[in-house]
Amino acid sequence: MTIWTTTTKSPLGPITLAKSALGLCGLHLPGEAPTAAATRSSWRRDDDAFADERALLDAYFAGEPARFAPLVPAGTPFQLEVWRALGEIPFGATISYGELARRLGRAGSARAVGAANAKNPIAIAIPCHRVVGHDGRLVGYAGGVATKRWLLDHERAVAARGAIVAHERRAARQVA
């Protein structure tokens, strides 16, 4: 199966994207090593094939909703289960690895959840950056903790702006 790749600019630096005919299978942040599959001979550079993904990334970084689909991460059944659950964490919110394990019905498996989280091949689109340590500390991130902090700060600022706008709209309706 052919995998197309490109590199695109972002506020974080260059991001490497990969996709097959089935959908997006890789989004690698600056400083993050692409998956081992990235070295396969079936990978072809095609900068023109990623207009939709670039537009979605631009929207995300501009603070607009961005729903990447279809996503086709390669992983074990457990990893896929964890990655699906990551998509349920609200924009701008965080949960702990332990809480994610409990939500999966696997209390006590926070380390296994963390290991699956670390193998996420589609950063941002599968928001593994929203998982933090039990005490709220930013721990472990393939793109680096500084990148994780930037993504969370960005999402929180966007969410706060959205809350302010929503509050102002409610207040305006009450006055009218």
Side-chain angles (χ1 to χ4, degrees), residues 116-139:
N117 204 39
K119 298 287 186 185
N120 173 16
I122 312 176
I124 298 174
I126 299 175
C128 55
H129 59 279
R130 296 180 189 155
V131 185
V132 297
H134 68 88
D135 57 0
R137 281 185 308 121
L138 304 185
V139 293

Side-chain angles (χ1 to χ4, degrees), residues 40 119 149:
R40 293 185 185 162
K119 298 287 186 185
R149 180 174 292 110

Side-chain angles (χ1 to χ4, degrees), residues 29-124:
L29 299 167
E32 178 187 7
T35 59
T39 61
R40 293 185 185 162
S41 62
S42 63
W43 284 51
R44 305 279 184 258
R45 185 164 182 108
D46 186 347
D47 296 330
D48 297 329
F50 290 86
D52 291 344
E53 291 82 6
R54 280 192 177 96
L56 287 167
L57 277 171
D58 289 346
Y60 172 84
F61 288 120
E64 301 167 13
R67 175 70 91 190
F68 293 83
L71 300 177
V72 288
T76 67
F78 178 71
Q79 288 170 334
L80 294 171
E81 180 183 5
V82 170
W83 300 337
R84 274 190 297 277
L86 293 172
E88 296 172 11
I89 304 169
F91 186 91
T94 59
I95 65 169
S96 70
Y97 293 97
E99 175 59 25
L100 184 56
R102 282 188 290 283
R103 289 182 184 186
L104 292 168
R106 297 172 180 269
S109 63
R111 287 181 190 238
V113 164
N117 204 39
K119 298 287 186 185
N120 173 16
I122 312 176
I124 298 174

Side-chain angles (χ1 to χ4, degrees), residues 144-161:
V145 173
T147 298
K148 184 173 190 167
R149 180 174 292 110
W150 190 97
L151 291 168
L152 291 172
D153 288 348
H154 168 69
E155 289 186 5
R156 288 175 181 144
V158 169
R161 279 195 310 268

